[in-house]
Amino acid sequence: MDDLLETLGSDALIDVLREEFLDYGETVGDAMLPDGSGAAWRDIFERLYVPTLMQVRLRSAMEKSFGKADIAALMTFYQSERGQRIVEAELAGRRYLLLEGAQKTAEAACLEPPERAEALLEFAQVNDLLERNVAGTLNSDLAFYRGLIAGGVFEMDEGDVLAEVQARVPEIRVALEAWISAYLCAALGDLHEADLAAYTAFSKTDEGIALNAAIFEGYGALSEDLSYAIGLGVSVQMFGEDL
C-alpha cells in the first residue's frame, strides 16, 4: 500500500488538498466568524491540516476499501511510463485549479475537438465522478454540521441536518459538474489520445474499479474528518474552548 501511494503521488496530492482545505477554512471563517479569517482562526485550521496525519487517515481508509484487490496489477499500470504520465498530468491539473480564475479557463480550453470532449465525458462516466463527488460533498457537509452541533454552535436534530444538506443537492451538483469538467480538461485534456483511451480502459478493469472506490473512500474519510474538525473549530473561535 505504501508503494502504491508513493506511485500515485499521494504526498504531492495531500499538499494540494491541504491548500484546498486552507481556502475552505478561510471561506468558513469569513462566513461564520465575527473577525473572519483572522490569525487565531487560521492558526486553528492550519494545525488541523497536518500532512503526515492526513496521509495516515488516507492510507487507513484506502487499505480497508481494497480488501483482496490485486494491488500488484495497479502497480504495473501506474509504474509504467504511461501510468506516470497520467499521475503527473492529474497532479498538475489539480495544482493548476488552485490558481484564481483557472477553473473557467480550463473549462473552455478543451471543448474542441468534440472527440476529445466525448472521450473525457466517457472517462467521467466510467469512474462515476459526478455521483461519487456529490455523495462525498454531502457527507462532508453533514460532518461539518455535526461538528458545529457538537461544539454548541447549532441545536439541530439529525433529521434537520439531513434536510438542510439535501436541500443543497441541486446547487452542489451544478458546482461539481463545472469543477469536474475543468479538472478533466486541466488534467487530461492534453494527454495523448492513446493514453486517455488506455486510462479509460484500465478504469473498467476490476483493479481499476477497486482503486477508484478506494480513492473515493480514502479522500472521503479524510474530508469528513477534517470537515467535522472545522465545525468544532468554529465553536472554539466562538466560545474560546480548548480544541
Side-chain angles (χ1 to χ4, degrees):
M1 178 62 71
D2 291 336
D3 289 343
L4 177 61
L5 288 172
E6 182 179 354
T7 300
L8 293 173
S10 67
D11 284 344
L13 184 53
I14 286 289
D15 289 339
V16 174
L17 290 174
R18 186 174 188 274
E19 290 300 315
E20 292 175 357
F21 270 107
L22 289 173
D23 289 344
Y24 171 68
E26 290 185 354
T27 300
V28 170
D30 290 339
M32 301 193 69
L33 298 172
D35 296 331
S37 297
W41 171 239
R42 188 172 182 88
D43 179 65
I44 286 176
F45 64 74
E46 281 190 344
R47 286 189 289 125
L48 292 172
Y49 305 145
V50 179
T52 52
L53 297 181
M54 292 169 69
Q55 188 71 264
V56 168
R57 183 66 177 109
L58 170 67
R59 186 192 189 286
S60 172
M62 284 186 66
E63 191 169 35
K64 182 183 293 186
S65 173
F66 265 120
K68 297 181 179 180
D70 184 6
I71 291 182
L74 294 169
M75 294 291 289
T76 298
F77 180 82
Y78 282 102
Q79 285 182 333
S80 68
E81 290 185 9
R82 168 174 283 160
Q84 284 302 291
R85 285 197 299 270
I86 290 168
V87 168
E88 291 169 8
E90 291 191 314
L91 285 172
R94 196 77 180 237
R95 289 193 191 101
Y96 174 73
L97 289 182
L98 291 172
L99 302 176
E100 185 174 353
Q103 180 171 323
K104 288 186 178 180
T105 301
E107 276 187 272
C110 65
L111 296 177
E112 299 292 341
E115 294 79 8
R116 175 47 56 102
E118 290 171 4
L120 292 174
L121 178 59
E122 181 187 4
F123 178 84
Q125 291 172 337
V126 165
N127 289 282
D128 199 19
L129 295 186
L130 179 58
E131 295 308 319
R132 286 182 181 272
N133 274 290
V134 168
T137 300
L138 290 176
N139 288 334
S140 294
D141 285 356
L142 285 170
F144 175 64
Y145 271 93
R146 287 166 181 152
L148 292 172
I149 293 166
V153 176
F154 291 150
E155 291 185 7
M156 301 171 68
D157 61 33
E158 188 72 8
D160 290 337
V161 173
L162 287 171
E164 181 81 17
V165 172
Q166 288 174 346
R168 295 187 55 239
V169 168
E171 172 191 346
I172 289 170
R173 186 178 295 278
V174 169
L176 283 173
E177 284 177 341
W179 187 89
I180 290 169
S181 176
Y183 168 71
L184 291 175
C185 288
L188 306 181
D190 291 331
L191 268 185
H192 191 278
E193 181 180 343
D195 285 348
L196 180 55
Y199 195 18
T200 301
F202 183 76
S203 297
K204 297 177 182 179
T205 66
D206 290 343
E207 293 79 17
I209 292 169
L211 177 61
N212 190 44
I215 286 173
F216 274 102
E217 185 69 26
Y219 287 105
L222 176 61
S223 179
E224 287 175 44
D225 284 357
L226 292 176
S227 296
Y228 181 83
I230 280 292
L232 286 177
V234 170
S235 72
V236 172
Q237 234 359 44
M238 285 185 172
F239 307 129
E241 299 172 354
D242 290 333
L243 183 62

